[in-house]
Amino acid sequence: MAKHLVDKIGILGGSFDPAHKGHLTISKIAIRKAKLKKLYWIVTKQNPFKKKPFFSLKKRLTKIKKLVGKSKIIEILYLDGIIRSSRSIDVVKYILKKKKPKNLYFIIGSDILSELHKWKSWKKIVKLTKLVVFSREGYDKNSKGSIVI
């Protein structure tokens, strides 16, 4: 049986354009509530559902590193070149294969929940991970009608 490198890992993905204190706040809550040992901020160059990013990838990564600081639990990863994809399902599969967590938490906001059914292999993401949805003002009403939950 494969040894689990870390029992509980979280993924918070996005273009982080820009990264802000809200990302950090939900990260800290997720770490505390789910008892995460590691939380990966997966930065993508381009969100397939958004127009061209406002900040360059380099500038976004710089801002993210400054925001996260010297956290031992939050780690910034840019995987687009490694896995040749920015799709969440490919990120989930990569983390499961490389890190072999016992539990993988997929963290999103309620704004994403109402759109999740449009994502490639969204059912597989939900099956392979524990979906964690954070409330976002103005989006909760729409997300309650999501076919995902």
Side-chain angles (χ1 to χ4, degrees):
M1 182 146 81
K3 184 176 188 265
H4 298 290
L5 300 178
V6 179
D7 279 345
K8 294 183 175 186
I9 291 177
I11 297 173
L12 178 64
S15 54
F16 294 93
D17 190 28
H20 51 76
K21 289 182 181 177
H23 292 122
L24 197 55
T25 299
I26 66 169
S27 294
K28 288 177 180 179
I29 293 168
I31 289 165
R32 188 178 75 247
K33 295 268 189 184
K35 297 177 175 56
L36 299 178
K37 302 300 180 206
K38 182 65 77 176
L39 175 59
Y40 293 110
W41 280 20
I42 311 293
V43 184
T44 186
K45 188 173 183 176
Q46 175 66 47
N47 179 326
F49 295 104
K50 292 184 180 175
K51 293 180 180 166
K52 186 178 179 220
F54 185 75
F55 291 107
S56 70
L57 177 62
K58 185 177 179 181
K59 186 154 187 125
R60 285 184 276 143
L61 288 169
T62 301
K63 286 177 173 281
I64 291 167
K65 288 174 185 168
K66 189 175 182 181
L67 181 65
V68 169
K70 297 184 187 295
S71 173
K72 298 211 185 309
I73 297 177
I74 301 172
E75 188 175 325
I76 312 325
L77 294 178
Y78 173 69
L79 300 174
D80 289 12
I82 296 169
I83 63 175
R84 302 206 184 287
S85 172
S86 62
R87 301 285 183 188
S88 294
I89 186 59
D90 297 324
V91 170
V92 166
K93 287 178 180 178
Y94 177 83
I95 296 294
L96 287 170
K97 183 179 177 185
K98 288 290 185 184
K99 306 298 179 183
K100 297 179 180 31
K102 188 173 183 181
N103 294 293
L104 183 59
Y105 294 80
F106 192 76
I107 302 164
I108 62 172
S110 57
D111 57 321
I112 301 298
L113 184 59
S114 60
E115 300 290 317
L116 192 60
H117 67 281
K118 296 178 184 175
W119 290 20
K120 180 182 180 201
S121 302
W122 70 268
K123 288 180 182 178
K124 197 161 202 153
I125 294 169
V126 173
K127 185 178 179 184
L128 293 172
T129 67
K130 295 180 184 298
L131 188 64
V132 178
V133 182
F134 278 88
S135 174
R136 286 206 57 196
E137 191 174 340
Y139 293 97
D140 290 352
K141 188 177 179 184
N142 286 349
S143 67
K144 285 182 180 150
S146 172
I147 64 171
V148 176
I149 54 174

